[in-house]
mmCIF file of all heavy atoms in Angstrom:
data_model
loop_
_atom_site.group_PDB
_atom_site.id
_atom_site.type_symbol
_atom_site.label_atom_id
_atom_site.label_comp_id
_atom_site.label_asym_id
_atom_site.label_seq_id
_atom_site.Cartn_x
_atom_site.Cartn_y
_atom_site.Cartn_z
ATOM 1 N N MET A 1103 0.838 -1.180 -0.020
ATOM 2 C CA MET A 1103 -0.023 -0.005 -0.019
ATOM 3 C C MET A 1103 0.894 1.276 0.022
ATOM 4 O O MET A 1103 1.781 1.418 0.851
ATOM 5 C CB MET A 1103 -0.910 0.012 1.238
ATOM 6 C CG MET A 1103 -1.788 1.203 1.310
ATOM 7 S SD MET A 1103 -2.806 1.056 2.734
ATOM 8 C CE MET A 1103 -2.913 2.725 3.209
ATOM 9 N N SER A 1104 0.763 2.067 -1.008
ATOM 10 C CA SER A 1104 1.526 3.325 -1.096
ATOM 11 C C SER A 1104 0.860 4.400 -0.177
ATOM 12 O O SER A 1104 -0.277 4.563 -0.108
ATOM 13 C CB SER A 1104 1.477 3.903 -2.552
ATOM 14 O OG SER A 1104 2.126 2.995 -3.396
ATOM 15 N N ILE A 1105 1.770 5.165 0.521
ATOM 16 C CA ILE A 1105 1.311 6.326 1.247
ATOM 17 C C ILE A 1105 1.630 7.584 0.527
ATOM 18 O O ILE A 1105 1.092 8.673 0.871
ATOM 19 C CB ILE A 1105 1.821 6.281 2.683
ATOM 20 C CG1 ILE A 1105 3.373 6.312 2.709
ATOM 21 C CG2 ILE A 1105 1.369 5.042 3.439
ATOM 22 C CD1 ILE A 1105 3.953 6.570 4.070
ATOM 23 N N LEU A 1106 2.522 7.508 -0.460
ATOM 24 C CA LEU A 1106 2.911 8.710 -1.220
ATOM 25 C C LEU A 1106 3.305 8.252 -2.603
ATOM 26 O O LEU A 1106 4.085 7.285 -2.763
ATOM 27 C CB LEU A 1106 4.019 9.480 -0.603
ATOM 28 C CG LEU A 1106 4.593 10.619 -1.362
ATOM 29 C CD1 LEU A 1106 3.536 11.722 -1.410
ATOM 30 C CD2 LEU A 1106 5.839 11.131 -0.732
ATOM 31 N N GLU A 1107 2.806 8.867 -3.643
ATOM 32 C CA GLU A 1107 3.194 8.593 -4.992
ATOM 33 C C GLU A 1107 3.259 9.853 -5.817
ATOM 34 O O GLU A 1107 2.338 10.701 -5.728
ATOM 35 C CB GLU A 1107 2.177 7.581 -5.631
ATOM 36 C CG GLU A 1107 2.512 7.160 -6.962
ATOM 37 C CD GLU A 1107 1.523 6.162 -7.483
ATOM 38 O OE1 GLU A 1107 0.848 5.438 -6.778
ATOM 39 O OE2 GLU A 1107 1.461 6.029 -8.750
ATOM 40 N N ALA A 1108 4.335 10.022 -6.582
ATOM 41 C CA ALA A 1108 4.470 11.190 -7.479
ATOM 42 C C ALA A 1108 5.012 10.685 -8.786
ATOM 43 O O ALA A 1108 5.837 9.790 -8.857
ATOM 44 C CB ALA A 1108 5.428 12.233 -6.864
ATOM 45 N N GLN A 1109 4.515 11.245 -9.894
ATOM 46 C CA GLN A 1109 4.898 10.853 -11.192
ATOM 47 C C GLN A 1109 5.354 12.026 -12.019
ATOM 48 O O GLN A 1109 4.836 13.086 -11.953
ATOM 49 C CB GLN A 1109 3.726 10.123 -11.866
ATOM 50 C CG GLN A 1109 3.298 8.916 -11.142
ATOM 51 C CD GLN A 1109 2.050 8.204 -11.821
ATOM 52 O OE1 GLN A 1109 1.399 8.828 -12.614
ATOM 53 N NE2 GLN A 1109 1.827 7.019 -11.443
ATOM 54 N N LYS A 1110 6.357 11.737 -12.876
ATOM 55 C CA LYS A 1110 6.863 12.670 -13.914
ATOM 56 C C LYS A 1110 7.225 13.995 -13.294
ATOM 57 O O LYS A 1110 6.767 15.051 -13.682
ATOM 58 C CB LYS A 1110 5.809 12.878 -14.973
ATOM 59 C CG LYS A 1110 5.487 11.612 -15.729
ATOM 60 C CD LYS A 1110 4.429 11.747 -16.818
ATOM 61 C CE LYS A 1110 4.146 10.461 -17.429
ATOM 62 N NZ LYS A 1110 2.977 10.464 -18.339
ATOM 63 N N ILE A 1111 8.176 13.950 -12.309
ATOM 64 C CA ILE A 1111 8.629 15.143 -11.661
ATOM 65 C C ILE A 1111 9.799 15.746 -12.441
ATOM 66 O O ILE A 1111 10.714 15.004 -12.720
ATOM 67 C CB ILE A 1111 9.098 14.840 -10.183
ATOM 68 C CG1 ILE A 1111 7.959 14.252 -9.407
ATOM 69 C CG2 ILE A 1111 9.648 16.088 -9.540
ATOM 70 C CD1 ILE A 1111 8.364 13.743 -8.033
ATOM 71 N N TYR A 1112 9.709 17.060 -12.706
ATOM 72 C CA TYR A 1112 10.771 17.765 -13.453
ATOM 73 C C TYR A 1112 11.168 18.954 -12.552
ATOM 74 O O TYR A 1112 10.264 19.594 -11.956
ATOM 75 C CB TYR A 1112 10.301 18.303 -14.811
ATOM 76 C CG TYR A 1112 10.051 17.152 -15.815
ATOM 77 C CD1 TYR A 1112 8.853 16.532 -15.882
ATOM 78 C CD2 TYR A 1112 11.106 16.860 -16.682
ATOM 79 C CE1 TYR A 1112 8.693 15.513 -16.807
ATOM 80 C CE2 TYR A 1112 10.881 15.878 -17.667
ATOM 81 C CZ TYR A 1112 9.696 15.185 -17.705
ATOM 82 O OH TYR A 1112 9.493 14.146 -18.663
ATOM 83 N N LYS A 1113 12.447 19.265 -12.553
ATOM 84 C CA LYS A 1113 12.908 20.423 -11.858
ATOM 85 C C LYS A 1113 14.183 20.983 -12.600
ATOM 86 O O LYS A 1113 15.077 20.209 -12.933
ATOM 87 C CB LYS A 1113 13.288 20.139 -10.394
ATOM 88 C CG LYS A 1113 13.863 21.312 -9.642
ATOM 89 C CD LYS A 1113 12.911 22.473 -9.525
ATOM 90 C CE LYS A 1113 13.477 23.618 -8.797
ATOM 91 N NZ LYS A 1113 12.716 24.788 -8.828
ATOM 92 N N SER A 1114 14.249 22.260 -12.785
ATOM 93 C CA SER A 1114 15.424 22.839 -13.436
ATOM 94 C C SER A 1114 15.735 24.166 -12.734
ATOM 95 O O SER A 1114 14.837 24.829 -12.172
ATOM 96 C CB SER A 1114 15.262 23.039 -14.919
ATOM 97 O OG SER A 1114 14.195 23.873 -15.230
ATOM 98 N N TYR A 1115 16.977 24.628 -12.797
ATOM 99 C CA TYR A 1115 17.384 25.924 -12.291
ATOM 100 C C TYR A 1115 17.940 26.744 -13.423
ATOM 101 O O TYR A 1115 18.493 26.196 -14.390
ATOM 102 C CB TYR A 1115 18.459 25.702 -11.215
ATOM 103 C CG TYR A 1115 17.991 25.014 -10.021
ATOM 104 C CD1 TYR A 1115 18.181 23.650 -9.823
ATOM 105 C CD2 TYR A 1115 17.340 25.657 -8.978
ATOM 106 C CE1 TYR A 1115 17.705 22.953 -8.700
ATOM 107 C CE2 TYR A 1115 16.869 25.055 -7.827
ATOM 108 C CZ TYR A 1115 17.105 23.696 -7.696
ATOM 109 O OH TYR A 1115 16.649 23.066 -6.569
ATOM 110 N N GLY A 1116 17.926 28.036 -13.222
ATOM 111 C CA GLY A 1116 18.594 28.927 -14.151
ATOM 112 C C GLY A 1116 17.571 29.665 -15.001
ATOM 113 O O GLY A 1116 16.390 29.846 -14.582
ATOM 114 N N ASN A 1117 18.000 30.119 -16.174
ATOM 115 C CA ASN A 1117 17.078 30.829 -17.047
ATOM 116 C C ASN A 1117 17.090 30.197 -18.451
ATOM 117 O O ASN A 1117 17.724 29.189 -18.606
ATOM 118 C CB ASN A 1117 17.411 32.334 -17.117
ATOM 119 C CG ASN A 1117 18.855 32.528 -17.514
ATOM 120 O OD1 ASN A 1117 19.390 31.808 -18.419
ATOM 121 N ND2 ASN A 1117 19.589 33.467 -16.884
ATOM 122 N N LYS A 1118 16.436 30.832 -19.393
ATOM 123 C CA LYS A 1118 16.378 30.172 -20.724
ATOM 124 C C LYS A 1118 17.669 30.122 -21.471
ATOM 125 O O LYS A 1118 17.869 29.362 -22.375
ATOM 126 C CB LYS A 1118 15.300 30.881 -21.550
ATOM 127 C CG LYS A 1118 15.610 32.338 -21.885
ATOM 128 C CD LYS A 1118 14.520 32.966 -22.693
ATOM 129 C CE LYS A 1118 14.810 34.403 -22.990
ATOM 130 N NZ LYS A 1118 13.649 34.999 -23.789
ATOM 131 N N PHE A 1119 18.696 30.866 -21.009
ATOM 132 C CA PHE A 1119 19.975 30.827 -21.636
ATOM 133 C C PHE A 1119 20.982 29.930 -20.928
ATOM 134 O O PHE A 1119 21.924 29.439 -21.548
ATOM 135 C CB PHE A 1119 20.600 32.276 -21.661
ATOM 136 C CG PHE A 1119 19.773 33.276 -22.369
ATOM 137 C CD1 PHE A 1119 19.071 34.267 -21.709
ATOM 138 C CD2 PHE A 1119 19.575 33.179 -23.758
ATOM 139 C CE1 PHE A 1119 18.317 35.146 -22.367
ATOM 140 C CE2 PHE A 1119 18.745 34.078 -24.403
ATOM 141 C CZ PHE A 1119 18.111 35.097 -23.734
ATOM 142 N N ASN A 1120 20.746 29.635 -19.616
ATOM 143 C CA ASN A 1120 21.680 28.778 -18.898
ATOM 144 C C ASN A 1120 20.790 27.954 -17.936
ATOM 145 O O ASN A 1120 20.586 28.315 -16.748
ATOM 146 C CB ASN A 1120 22.626 29.692 -18.111
ATOM 147 C CG ASN A 1120 23.643 28.814 -17.321
ATOM 148 O OD1 ASN A 1120 23.830 27.627 -17.684
ATOM 149 N ND2 ASN A 1120 24.302 29.406 -16.389
ATOM 150 N N ARG A 1121 20.298 26.817 -18.375
ATOM 151 C CA ARG A 1121 19.367 25.984 -17.629
ATOM 152 C C ARG A 1121 20.107 24.639 -17.230
ATOM 153 O O ARG A 1121 20.719 24.059 -18.058
ATOM 154 C CB ARG A 1121 18.095 25.667 -18.431
ATOM 155 C CG ARG A 1121 17.170 24.838 -17.641
ATOM 156 C CD ARG A 1121 15.853 24.849 -18.288
ATOM 157 N NE ARG A 1121 15.370 26.304 -18.341
ATOM 158 C CZ ARG A 1121 14.171 26.664 -18.211
ATOM 159 N NH1 ARG A 1121 13.208 25.802 -18.185
ATOM 160 N NH2 ARG A 1121 13.883 27.945 -18.260
ATOM 161 N N GLN A 1122 19.900 24.288 -15.929
ATOM 162 C CA GLN A 1122 20.459 23.065 -15.453
ATOM 163 C C GLN A 1122 19.263 22.106 -15.051
ATOM 164 O O GLN A 1122 18.590 22.503 -14.067
ATOM 165 C CB GLN A 1122 21.392 23.256 -14.306
ATOM 166 C CG GLN A 1122 22.009 22.016 -13.696
ATOM 167 C CD GLN A 1122 22.894 21.287 -14.599
ATOM 168 O OE1 GLN A 1122 23.686 21.829 -15.286
ATOM 169 N NE2 GLN A 1122 22.769 19.977 -14.665
ATOM 170 N N GLU A 1123 19.021 21.030 -15.733
ATOM 171 C CA GLU A 1123 17.908 20.126 -15.332
ATOM 172 C C GLU A 1123 18.469 19.169 -14.270
ATOM 173 O O GLU A 1123 19.536 18.584 -14.423
ATOM 174 C CB GLU A 1123 17.484 19.347 -16.562
ATOM 175 C CG GLU A 1123 16.728 20.135 -17.561
ATOM 176 C CD GLU A 1123 16.174 19.342 -18.668
ATOM 177 O OE1 GLU A 1123 16.335 18.080 -18.707
ATOM 178 O OE2 GLU A 1123 15.574 19.925 -19.562
ATOM 179 N N VAL A 1124 17.761 19.121 -13.157
ATOM 180 C CA VAL A 1124 18.238 18.250 -12.052
ATOM 181 C C VAL A 1124 17.287 17.089 -11.794
ATOM 182 O O VAL A 1124 17.734 16.028 -11.363
ATOM 183 C CB VAL A 1124 18.388 19.039 -10.768
ATOM 184 C CG1 VAL A 1124 19.543 20.007 -10.886
ATOM 185 C CG2 VAL A 1124 17.102 19.843 -10.362
ATOM 186 N N LEU A 1125 16.054 17.166 -12.186
ATOM 187 C CA LEU A 1125 15.112 16.037 -12.185
ATOM 188 C C LEU A 1125 14.424 15.937 -13.611
ATOM 189 O O LEU A 1125 13.975 16.979 -14.076
ATOM 190 C CB LEU A 1125 14.040 16.207 -11.126
ATOM 191 C CG LEU A 1125 14.498 16.295 -9.700
ATOM 192 C CD1 LEU A 1125 13.294 16.561 -8.770
ATOM 193 C CD2 LEU A 1125 15.223 15.033 -9.212
ATOM 194 N N LYS A 1126 14.541 14.768 -14.155
ATOM 195 C CA LYS A 1126 14.005 14.636 -15.525
ATOM 196 C C LYS A 1126 12.987 13.532 -15.624
ATOM 197 O O LYS A 1126 13.221 12.446 -16.052
ATOM 198 C CB LYS A 1126 15.212 14.259 -16.482
ATOM 199 C CG LYS A 1126 16.242 15.358 -16.480
ATOM 200 C CD LYS A 1126 17.465 14.908 -17.339
ATOM 201 C CE LYS A 1126 18.579 15.986 -17.243
ATOM 202 N NZ LYS A 1126 19.717 15.535 -18.019
ATOM 203 N N GLY A 1127 11.769 13.844 -15.167
ATOM 204 C CA GLY A 1127 10.608 12.935 -15.291
ATOM 205 C C GLY A 1127 10.695 11.728 -14.368
ATOM 206 O O GLY A 1127 10.332 10.643 -14.783
ATOM 207 N N ILE A 1128 11.124 11.940 -13.151
ATOM 208 C CA ILE A 1128 11.238 10.764 -12.217
ATOM 209 C C ILE A 1128 9.930 10.458 -11.602
ATOM 210 O O ILE A 1128 9.060 11.284 -11.453
ATOM 211 C CB ILE A 1128 12.308 10.947 -11.118
ATOM 212 C CG1 ILE A 1128 11.888 12.045 -10.153
ATOM 213 C CG2 ILE A 1128 13.623 11.325 -11.703
ATOM 214 C CD1 ILE A 1128 12.651 12.031 -8.908
ATOM 215 N N ASP A 1129 9.706 9.194 -11.216
ATOM 216 C CA ASP A 1129 8.553 8.727 -10.508
ATOM 217 C C ASP A 1129 9.109 8.224 -9.130
ATOM 218 O O ASP A 1129 10.144 7.639 -9.089
ATOM 219 C CB ASP A 1129 7.910 7.559 -11.260
ATOM 220 C CG ASP A 1129 7.317 7.937 -12.631
ATOM 221 O OD1 ASP A 1129 7.043 9.135 -12.848
ATOM 222 O OD2 ASP A 1129 7.242 7.058 -13.467
ATOM 223 N N ILE A 1130 8.227 8.340 -8.114
ATOM 224 C CA ILE A 1130 8.584 7.810 -6.806
ATOM 225 C C ILE A 1130 7.305 7.267 -6.199
ATOM 226 O O ILE A 1130 6.241 7.858 -6.320
ATOM 227 C CB ILE A 1130 9.255 8.898 -5.926
ATOM 228 C CG1 ILE A 1130 9.785 8.273 -4.557
ATOM 229 C CG2 ILE A 1130 8.387 10.124 -5.673
ATOM 230 C CD1 ILE A 1130 10.612 9.158 -3.740
ATOM 231 N N GLN A 1131 7.529 6.250 -5.472
ATOM 232 C CA GLN A 1131 6.421 5.597 -4.695
ATOM 233 C C GLN A 1131 7.008 5.239 -3.302
ATOM 234 O O GLN A 1131 7.941 4.505 -3.246
ATOM 235 C CB GLN A 1131 5.956 4.350 -5.462
ATOM 236 C CG GLN A 1131 4.679 3.770 -4.873
ATOM 237 C CD GLN A 1131 4.136 2.633 -5.801
ATOM 238 O OE1 GLN A 1131 4.910 1.953 -6.432
ATOM 239 N NE2 GLN A 1131 2.822 2.567 -5.792
ATOM 240 N N VAL A 1132 6.381 5.725 -2.265
ATOM 241 C CA VAL A 1132 6.797 5.415 -0.917
ATOM 242 C C VAL A 1132 5.825 4.500 -0.251
ATOM 243 O O VAL A 1132 4.605 4.828 -0.218
ATOM 244 C CB VAL A 1132 6.921 6.722 -0.104
ATOM 245 C CG1 VAL A 1132 7.383 6.448 1.309
ATOM 246 C CG2 VAL A 1132 7.867 7.653 -0.771
ATOM 247 N N GLU A 1133 6.271 3.395 0.262
ATOM 248 C CA GLU A 1133 5.383 2.425 0.919
ATOM 249 C C GLU A 1133 5.435 2.664 2.420
ATOM 250 O O GLU A 1133 6.343 3.222 2.964
ATOM 251 C CB GLU A 1133 5.934 0.979 0.641
ATOM 252 C CG GLU A 1133 5.968 0.698 -0.858
ATOM 253 C CD GLU A 1133 4.677 0.594 -1.551
ATOM 254 O OE1 GLU A 1133 3.690 0.276 -0.866
ATOM 255 O OE2 GLU A 1133 4.591 0.801 -2.768
ATOM 256 N N LYS A 1134 4.436 2.151 3.086
ATOM 257 C CA LYS A 1134 4.345 2.267 4.557
ATOM 258 C C LYS A 1134 5.574 1.600 5.136
ATOM 259 O O LYS A 1134 5.935 0.465 4.759
ATOM 260 C CB LYS A 1134 3.074 1.555 5.051
ATOM 261 C CG LYS A 1134 2.926 1.683 6.558
ATOM 262 C CD LYS A 1134 1.594 1.072 6.970
ATOM 263 C CE LYS A 1134 1.444 1.282 8.475
ATOM 264 N NZ LYS A 1134 0.127 0.745 8.954
ATOM 265 N N GLY A 1135 6.285 2.216 6.037
ATOM 266 C CA GLY A 1135 7.494 1.717 6.637
ATOM 267 C C GLY A 1135 8.802 2.140 5.958
ATOM 268 O O GLY A 1135 9.839 1.868 6.488
ATOM 269 N N ASP A 1136 8.725 2.730 4.819
ATOM 270 C CA ASP A 1136 9.899 3.154 4.034
ATOM 271 C C ASP A 1136 10.526 4.418 4.720
ATOM 272 O O ASP A 1136 9.715 5.224 5.309
ATOM 273 C CB ASP A 1136 9.609 3.487 2.614
ATOM 274 C CG ASP A 1136 9.380 2.313 1.743
ATOM 275 O OD1 ASP A 1136 9.650 1.112 2.207
ATOM 276 O OD2 ASP A 1136 8.956 2.462 0.616
ATOM 277 N N PHE A 1137 11.792 4.592 4.636
ATOM 278 C CA PHE A 1137 12.473 5.799 5.053
ATOM 279 C C PHE A 1137 12.941 6.527 3.781
ATOM 280 O O PHE A 1137 13.547 5.897 2.923
ATOM 281 C CB PHE A 1137 13.730 5.489 5.881
ATOM 282 C CG PHE A 1137 13.318 4.921 7.252
ATOM 283 C CD1 PHE A 1137 13.118 3.568 7.463
ATOM 284 C CD2 PHE A 1137 13.103 5.771 8.321
ATOM 285 C CE1 PHE A 1137 12.798 3.106 8.741
ATOM 286 C CE2 PHE A 1137 12.726 5.313 9.552
ATOM 287 C CZ PHE A 1137 12.576 3.926 9.795
ATOM 288 N N VAL A 1138 12.641 7.839 3.710
ATOM 289 C CA VAL A 1138 13.004 8.601 2.537
ATOM 290 C C VAL A 1138 13.720 9.854 2.946
ATOM 291 O O VAL A 1138 13.389 10.521 3.953
ATOM 292 C CB VAL A 1138 11.650 9.021 1.787
ATOM 293 C CG1 VAL A 1138 12.042 9.872 0.631
ATOM 294 C CG2 VAL A 1138 10.913 7.817 1.367
ATOM 295 N N SER A 1139 14.777 10.161 2.159
ATOM 296 C CA SER A 1139 15.551 11.401 2.456
ATOM 297 C C SER A 1139 15.735 12.159 1.130
ATOM 298 O O SER A 1139 15.918 11.499 0.107
ATOM 299 C CB SER A 1139 16.943 10.968 3.007
ATOM 300 O OG SER A 1139 17.700 12.129 3.179
ATOM 301 N N ILE A 1140 15.582 13.482 1.231
ATOM 302 C CA ILE A 1140 15.733 14.307 0.036
ATOM 303 C C ILE A 1140 16.976 15.238 0.333
ATOM 304 O O ILE A 1140 16.939 15.925 1.364
ATOM 305 C CB ILE A 1140 14.531 15.192 -0.235
ATOM 306 C CG1 ILE A 1140 13.318 14.272 -0.507
ATOM 307 C CG2 ILE A 1140 14.756 16.100 -1.387
ATOM 308 C CD1 ILE A 1140 11.963 14.973 -0.645
ATOM 309 N N LEU A 1141 17.992 15.193 -0.505
ATOM 310 C CA LEU A 1141 19.124 15.962 -0.358
ATOM 311 C C LEU A 1141 19.361 16.903 -1.484
ATOM 312 O O LEU A 1141 18.907 16.612 -2.597
ATOM 313 C CB LEU A 1141 20.394 14.982 -0.305
ATOM 314 C CG LEU A 1141 20.302 13.963 0.804
ATOM 315 C CD1 LEU A 1141 21.495 12.982 0.619
ATOM 316 C CD2 LEU A 1141 20.456 14.553 2.158
ATOM 317 N N GLY A 1142 20.073 17.960 -1.244
ATOM 318 C CA GLY A 1142 20.382 18.875 -2.350
ATOM 319 C C GLY A 1142 20.438 20.307 -1.851
ATOM 320 O O GLY A 1142 20.053 20.584 -0.697
ATOM 321 N N ALA A 1143 20.877 21.083 -2.746
ATOM 322 C CA ALA A 1143 20.974 22.590 -2.350
ATOM 323 C C ALA A 1143 19.601 23.194 -2.469
ATOM 324 O O ALA A 1143 18.750 22.766 -3.107
ATOM 325 C CB ALA A 1143 21.869 23.254 -3.416
#
């Protein structure tokens, strides 16, 4: 049983001339009892 689900996550930094993509369409599913950590600037 999932307690959290996210699909097609995208994230980028910068502007239209200098863009850095850091997440490119990722999916995540967290089940009961899982430990999750998010790291980054």
Side-chain angles (χ1 to χ4, degrees):
M1103 179 176 143
S1104 296
I1105 59 170
L1106 175 68
E1107 184 175 337
Q1109 297 176 345
K1110 298 179 184 172
I1111 302 171
Y1112 289 86
K1113 177 62 180 171
S1114 62
Y1115 293 98
N1117 56 40
K1118 64 182 178 181
F1119 301 111
N1120 184 18
R1121 180 166 301 213
Q1122 179 66 42
E1123 291 184 0
V1124 292
L1125 299 178
K1126 299 176 184 178
I1128 68 165
D1129 298 333
I1130 186 170
Q1131 189 173 32
V1132 180
E1133 303 291 334
K1134 185 176 180 179
D1136 287 350
F1137 291 90
V1138 178
S1139 177
I1140 299 173
L1141 302 173

